[in-house]
Amino acid sequence: MKLKSALSIIYVACNLCAFFPLMVQAKSTTPIFYTVKASQPTNSYLYFQGNVQPISQHDVLAPIAGIVSSKINFTYGDKVKKGQYLFSVTPSGQENTYRQSLIAYLRAKSTYNTTITKFSGQDLLYKKGIISRNDYTQFKDNIVNEKLATQEAYYNLQGVVKKINSDQKVDTTILQNIENLSISDQKVYSELNRSFDEVKIYSPTDGIALLPKKESSSDSEGSSDPLHKDSVLKLNQVLLMVGDFSGLQVSVDVSEVSINKIRKGQPVMITGPAFPGITLQGNVTAISYQAKNDSSGSGLP
């Protein structure tokens, strides 16, 4: 009996060894050591092309339509200072616009004053029951409409005066004189024959004087012709740009394949043929949400 019991115990133990070999190995007293080496970070690069531009730029616009009447007091590509006199513009055709605006204002003002004078009579007739309530109400509405028309004509005249003249004090004096005029006043004729001085253009900030881009979409990459004496200007035409070269910026087109890899603040390295051997360090400052069609024909926005 004792022998049989011993054999049974050995048999069971062997079966346990067969089914659970890992449990037996885990009881080993010999330690196993593993060395983990930190992996090096991998960098990937994206390559784009663009034009280097000043970090900011200010457009100098023509306040009036006219002709450059003086010698240009700056050189393209050179520094200009804030408040520096650049050139002068003589108005062309603006004096006729001023006369038309002045006549329109005086006529509107005369009509309004006449209506106000008639209102006292209409008010008396209404109180006496001679005219109906509807006629009386309509007459009051006409007064409001003519008052609005007079104010609109004055604002148009004010805008014309500010565009023609560069001196704010002179603008205020002219408008005050006009407000005191009536269409029958003899001073109207001298006011209609008023001549305006040339408008002086000054630099809005410190920077480098640059040629503006051409207005035509087909020539957007080119620059317009330099200004010179007797150049003809249009209203709100970009005369020149004053660039701030305390820093640089580059705008690039990124396809939809790569745009999700771009994040604000990512480091950027810029090289160019104008500065060989030099790498400029920067970062992504803005990402446009507006997509456009690829001009290369790949079809990727």
Side-chain angles (χ1 to χ4, degrees):
M1 293 298 292
K2 292 182 179 180
L3 179 61
K4 186 177 180 180
S5 299
L7 291 175
S8 299
I9 294 172
I10 295 172
Y11 174 76
V12 172
C14 290
N15 283 342
L16 290 174
C17 292
F19 284 100
F20 302 97
L22 295 178
M23 294 179 62
V24 176
Q25 293 294 331
K27 295 180 181 179
S28 175
T29 58
T30 304
I32 301 174
F33 297 95
Y34 297 93
T35 301
V36 179
K37 184 178 181 181
S39 60
Q40 296 294 330
T42 57
N43 294 326
S44 60
Y45 296 89
L46 299 174
Y47 297 89
F48 305 101
Q49 292 183 346
N51 294 325
V52 177
Q53 300 175 350
I55 195 169
S56 65
Q57 57 190 25
H58 300 267
D59 293 339
V60 179
L61 305 179
I64 61 172
I67 300 174
V68 177
S69 58
S70 65
K71 182 180 177 181
I72 304 300
N73 192 38
F74 68 94
T75 302
Y76 290 99
D78 282 353
K79 293 182 179 181
V80 293
K81 295 182 178 181
K82 182 178 181 180
Q84 176 180 331
Y85 168 72
L86 302 178
F87 55 89
S88 298
V89 180
T90 299
S92 62
Q94 294 294 317
E95 293 180 357
N96 290 332
T97 304
Y98 166 74
R99 294 187 187 99
Q100 294 172 1
S101 300
L102 175 59
I103 292 174
Y105 166 69
L106 292 176
R107 285 176 176 172
K109 181 179 179 182
S110 176
T111 303
Y112 173 66
N113 291 335
T114 302
T115 306
I116 290 295
T117 303
K118 292 181 180 180
F119 178 72
S120 58
Q122 295 291 323
D123 184 57
L124 180 62
L125 292 175
Y126 173 69
K127 291 179 179 179
K128 296 292 184 180
I130 299 176
I131 62 175
S132 65
R133 180 181 180 86
N134 289 338
D135 292 341
Y136 178 73
T137 302
Q138 184 177 1
F139 195 86
K140 290 180 65 177
D141 292 340
N142 289 337
I143 293 178
V144 175
N145 294 333
E146 290 171 4
K147 181 178 180 180
L148 292 175
T150 303
Q151 291 177 341
E152 181 180 8
Y154 177 78
Y155 291 145
N156 291 336
L157 176 61
Q158 186 181 40
V160 171
V161 172
K162 288 184 177 180
K163 288 180 180 179
I164 294 178
N165 193 66
S166 59
D167 192 337
Q168 187 175 2
K169 294 182 179 180
V170 176
D171 293 345
T172 303
T173 302
I174 294 174
L175 294 173
Q176 287 177 350
N177 293 336
I178 292 175
E179 288 179 355
N180 298 326
L181 288 178
S182 65
I183 198 168
S184 59
D185 198 325
Q186 292 296 325
K187 295 180 180 179
V188 170
Y189 299 100
S190 60
E191 194 63 44
L192 289 172
N193 293 323
R194 176 186 290 274
S195 59
F196 291 86
D197 297 332
E198 58 186 12
V199 177
K200 294 182 178 181
I201 308 298
Y202 300 91
S203 174
T205 184
D206 296 339
I208 306 297
L210 304 173
L211 281 169
K213 291 183 178 180
K214 291 186 177 180
E215 297 181 0
S216 174
S217 59
S218 60
D219 298 329
S220 60
E221 295 301 326
S223 299
S224 59
D225 296 330
L227 292 175
H228 55 82
K229 191 176 182 302
D230 299 329
S231 291
V232 179
L233 307 179
K234 298 183 295 184
L235 178 63
N236 293 329
Q237 175 183 340
V238 181
L239 305 178
L240 73 151
M241 298 186 301
V242 180
D244 179 8
F245 279 91
S246 61
L248 300 174
Q249 66 171 335
V250 181
S251 297
V252 298
D253 292 335
V254 182
S255 73
E256 61 180 342
V257 177
S258 304
I259 189 61
N260 287 332
K261 300 177 183 179
I262 306 297
R263 297 288 184 273
K264 290 181 66 175
Q266 277 181 312
V268 175
M269 294 184 293
I270 303 172
T271 60
F275 39 93
I278 299 176
T279 300
L280 304 179
Q281 304 294 331
N283 57 76
V284 178
T285 58
I287 302 174
S288 174
Y289 288 94
Q290 176 66 52
K292 65 179 182 179
N293 292 329
D294 184 13
S295 59
S296 64
S298 65
L300 295 176

